[in-house]
Amino acid sequence: MKLAICPGSFDPITKGHLDIVTRAARLFDKVLVVVLQNPIKRPLFTVEERMEMIQKVTKKLPNVSADTYDGLLADYVRMKGACAIVKGLRAVSDFEYEFQMDLINKQLNPEFETIFLNTSQEYMFLSSSIVKQIAVFNGDISAFIPEEICQDIVDRLRREV
Ligand code: PNS
């Protein structure tokens, strides 16, 4: 069984992320979408909230499940016996960081591959931080966020302010 990991902060999961997860689910027998800590980001949503949102939007994908891990991605991949991680690449600006991460992860665990999928054209510009900014200022996020979790995000941000 070929298992792949889609790692990220998912704060929150966007239609761009979901596009990558859906495409990864066609390539692998099983896909685990995993919420990990990115020390350079201060998340708005708790790990549990982010995982719940992932579960909601991936319900219709039978070979996809959600998980969290409070440690190194390379260790998580080893623990699960996955053969690859799959990440989306939006633009050249993503490349340098992702390239560095790939090399570091290889050093930590040489047993898996990092596979980059080009982001679909309609999500090239999309990021979780842009969505949060739009939502904070009462903008419409429905073009960017899966329908099942749009209201959850709006409600949560209302409670925040
Ligand atoms: O969605 P993001 O923020 O670009 O995802 C980055 C993430 C969470 C995948 C990355 O920061 C990560 O792998 N965090 C876990 C800790 C780790 O293994 N870091 C890489 C080696 S320093």
Side-chain angles (χ1 to χ4, degrees):
M1 192 206 51
K2 295 252 184 238
L3 169 69
I5 309 290
C6 284
S9 308
F10 304 112
D11 187 46
I13 187 165
T14 67
K15 284 188 178 179
H17 293 128
L18 188 56
D19 175 58
I20 298 294
V21 171
T22 305
R23 287 160 59 199
R26 288 189 209 121
L27 299 172
F28 292 89
D29 299 313
K30 194 170 164 33
V31 171
L32 274 172
V33 185
V34 186
V35 179
L36 292 150
Q37 313 277 352
N38 183 342
I40 56 174
K41 289 183 181 168
R42 249 192 55 212
L44 175 65
F45 297 96
T46 65
V47 170
E48 290 73 27
E49 284 170 327
R50 286 181 267 162
M51 200 170 93
E52 262 175 45
M53 287 190 272
I54 294 168
Q55 281 166 338
K56 267 192 183 177
V57 304
T58 57
K59 221 180 213 164
K60 50 188 176 287
L61 301 169
N63 60 337
V64 174
S65 23
D67 197 9
T68 66
Y69 187 64
D70 191 15
L72 286 174
L73 172 59
D75 290 341
Y76 181 82
V77 172
R78 186 181 288 115
M79 191 173 80
K80 292 289 169 183
C83 62
I85 67 168
V86 179
K87 297 208 84 181
L89 266 191
R90 282 167 302 192
V92 182
S93 53
D94 277 350
F95 181 76
E96 206 174 334
Y97 171 76
E98 295 296 350
F99 186 55
Q100 184 189 15
M101 283 298 140
D102 178 27
L103 295 176
I104 289 169
N105 284 326
K106 275 237 164 61
Q107 190 82 22
L108 296 169
N109 176 0
E111 286 152 27
F112 72 95
E113 290 297 333
T114 297
I115 294 174
F116 295 113
L117 295 181
N118 279 338
T119 297
S120 299
Q121 204 175 329
E122 64 265 48
Y123 306 126
M124 253 340 165
F125 61 92
L126 188 53
S127 71
S128 298
S129 40
I130 281 178
V131 169
K132 280 181 279 188
Q133 224 180 99
I134 297 169
V136 162
F137 294 109
N138 297 317
D140 180 8
I141 56 169
S142 60
F144 316 119
I145 292 288
E147 198 188 335
E148 302 91 317
I149 58 167
C150 268
Q151 197 55 47
D152 296 346
I153 291 172
V154 171
D155 292 346
R156 173 67 158 73
L157 286 171
R158 269 202 198 121
R159 268 187 280 134
E160 196 74 17
V161 284

